[in-house]
Amino acid sequence: MAELPEPGTLFANKYVIESQLGGGAAGVVLSAMHQELRQRVAIKVLRDAGPVSSERMIREGRATLALQSEHVVRVMDVGRDRGRVFLVMEQLEGADLASVLRQRGPLPIAEGVDYVLQACAGVAEAHARGVVHRDLKPSNLFLTRRADGSPLVKVLDFGISKSPESEQEVEASLTGPAEVLGSPMYMSPEQVRGAKLVDHRTDIWALGVVLFRLVSGKAPFGAGMTVGSALASVVADEPAALREVLPEAPRELEAIVKRCLAKSPDERFATVAELAAALAPFGTDDGRAAVVRLVRDRVAMPATRRRWPLLVVGAVVVVAIPLIALAVLHRGHGVDASIATAIPSATAAPSASPTPTPTPTPTPTPTPTASAIPSPTHRPAPRPHPAGNSSVVRSAATNDRY
């Protein structure tokens, strides 16, 4: 096994290693400077250079590189150096949400909702490209800040993500017949069973657990249990009610979390966009802006996009009914004769008759704005999180999945 790169050495012929940001049994994350561009980056390097772990890291790079959302960590390079696979990412300042929880305890409801709404924006783009994350949890959601100082949540670690159908053969080679991939506290029942055909709704389950954890500081399943018992609880038991551990939580928010944690995927929200729309009233203006961007960018699952024929039919019916009614009233004759003339007259040139039949004009649908989303009263203001010096990959480095 090749030795890990040391500070001061040149890695992959272009990165000067500066220091180690974090590490675990699976690998290390290094701070490095691009020799020519003078850009500081984070490099994830595996300790194990075996084919399975290496292929998973390559898949992580491919999956993340295709995503352009500001809510997904940016991957800049994937390669091999002396037989060892590495992943180059942007280096961020801040802390993952697991660290934020340890430092501050449960977050105000509006703040926790905001962070989940931002995560929804990143996950929605992944789903639109056929990528299911399968390991969403606070340590894989990184809190940093934009240039204007506003909080920004980025989704990390697509290492065990499920790619589109074209990669099913690769997926089968990376997972054994009964292998369970993910973090037990955040896994859906179907993921616990090891089903290879889990879809995007397993991420919706995980986002419900994440929100429960952020605002209450507790988990809805498996608290204090062994891993095996926690997995059994996920499959068999009902989740704890949010208001049992957080009495001030609105009943509507409790119902949203409960729907995320439905045992059957069919009973959960159909898409993360639908989940985000339900959560928006409980966040701040910043959180609702993330929902507006999600809608504006038309990030949605293909199944959702297939609804357009029904919308067209509905619009035609809404316009046609008043036209027919007006024609019947104007002519005073039977419906059959009126229908034959009412619809063509809607598009014909204006007649010279002194009393022309008015043609209804459809009202244009307004573009959604952040202010158009309702806001609940008595919403607590979010508290700023303390500044931190941790890097985007500090939590990822300690994940021993590979």
Side-chain angles (χ1 to χ4, degrees):
M1 180 180 296
E3 293 183 0
L4 294 172
E6 297 290 336
T9 61
L10 186 64
F11 182 72
N13 296 321
K14 53 185 172 182
Y15 300 106
V16 178
I17 303 300
E18 295 181 328
S19 63
Q20 181 172 316
L21 296 173
V28 297
V29 180
L30 306 168
S31 175
M33 181 72 71
H34 192 291
Q35 191 176 34
E36 301 298 334
L37 300 178
R38 308 305 299 169
Q39 180 184 32
R40 182 164 283 108
V41 297
I43 303 179
K44 187 175 183 179
V45 184
L46 296 176
R47 295 186 189 276
D48 174 19
V52 172
S53 56
S54 296
E55 182 61 31
R56 281 183 179 155
M57 179 172 277
I58 292 173
R59 288 180 63 206
E60 177 183 358
R62 289 173 181 166
T64 312
L65 190 63
L67 306 178
Q68 301 301 314
S69 171
E70 69 168 343
H71 298 290
V72 176
V73 65
R74 184 162 55 94
V75 168
M76 295 174 284
D77 195 8
V78 178
R80 295 177 184 270
D81 183 76
R82 288 171 287 181
R84 191 186 302 279
V85 175
F86 64 91
L87 185 71
V88 181
M89 301 172 284
E90 62 177 328
Q91 188 174 151
L92 303 173
E93 293 297 326
D96 60 69
L97 292 184
S99 298
V100 173
L101 276 175
R102 285 194 296 270
Q103 294 169 7
R104 294 177 47 189
L107 306 179
I109 289 175
E111 184 178 359
V113 168
D114 274 7
Y115 295 159
V116 172
L117 287 173
Q118 291 198 40
C120 283
V123 173
E125 184 180 345
H127 287 180
R129 295 179 179 273
V131 176
V132 182
H133 191 285
R134 296 199 295 188
D135 198 24
L136 293 171
K137 55 187 177 181
S139 61
N140 280 340
L141 300 176
F142 196 90
L143 180 59
T144 184
R145 294 198 175 273
R146 298 183 180 90
D148 63 2
S150 60
L152 174 63
V153 172
K154 287 179 175 276
V155 181
L156 311 179
D157 202 346
F158 284 78
I160 64 169
S161 62
K162 180 181 177 182
S163 299
E165 290 76 9
S166 60
E167 297 190 12
Q168 287 301 308
E169 291 184 3
V170 175
E171 171 73 15
S173 69
L174 294 180
T175 58
E179 185 176 1
V180 175
L181 294 176
S183 301
M185 299 291 286
Y186 301 89
M187 292 169 64
S188 65
E190 63 270 25
Q191 194 172 357
V192 170
R193 296 186 182 101
K196 294 182 182 298
L197 297 180
V198 295
D199 61 20
H200 62 283
R201 293 170 294 184
T202 198
D203 286 345
I204 291 173
W205 168 287
L207 287 169
V209 180
V210 168
L211 179 57
F212 192 109
R213 190 71 180 268
L214 290 181
V215 300
S216 72
K218 302 181 183 300
F221 295 99
M225 298 182 181
T226 62
V227 171
S229 297
L231 293 176
S233 178
V234 166
V235 172
D237 298 338
E238 288 300 312
L242 179 60
R243 283 170 55 84
E244 289 181 1
V245 295
L246 189 67
E248 64 269 30
R251 294 185 184 278
E252 297 83 358
L253 183 62
E254 182 182 59
I256 292 171
V257 173
K258 184 176 181 180
R259 184 175 174 187
C260 290
L261 302 182
K263 300 294 185 188
S264 170
D266 292 337
E267 296 177 4
R268 299 174 203 154
F269 291 96
T271 66
V272 290
E274 185 180 342
L275 168 60
L279 284 175
F282 303 97
T284 67
D285 289 343
D286 286 341
R288 287 191 290 276
V291 180
V292 172
R293 288 192 296 271
L294 193 158
V295 174
R296 179 197 64 198
D297 296 339
R298 304 176 68 85
V299 177
M301 289 295 293
T304 302
R305 293 197 293 267
R306 287 197 294 269
R307 295 175 185 170
W308 71 266
L310 295 178
L311 297 177
V312 172
V313 172
V316 170
V317 171
V318 168
V319 173
I321 287 176
L323 287 175
I324 294 171
L326 285 171
V328 172
L329 292 173
H330 176 66
R331 296 181 183 272
H333 295 298
V335 175
D336 292 342
S338 302
I339 293 175
T341 57
I343 295 179
S345 68
T347 56
S351 143
S353 170
T355 57
T357 302
T359 301
T361 303
T363 303
T365 302
T367 303
T369 62
S371 61
I373 301 174
S375 173
T377 58
H378 308 298
R379 184 175 61 245
R383 297 175 299 186
H385 77 278
N389 296 319
S390 57
S391 165
V392 62
V393 287
R394 189 178 297 278
S395 62
T398 60
N399 192 327
D400 295 342
R401 176 186 311 105
Y402 294 97

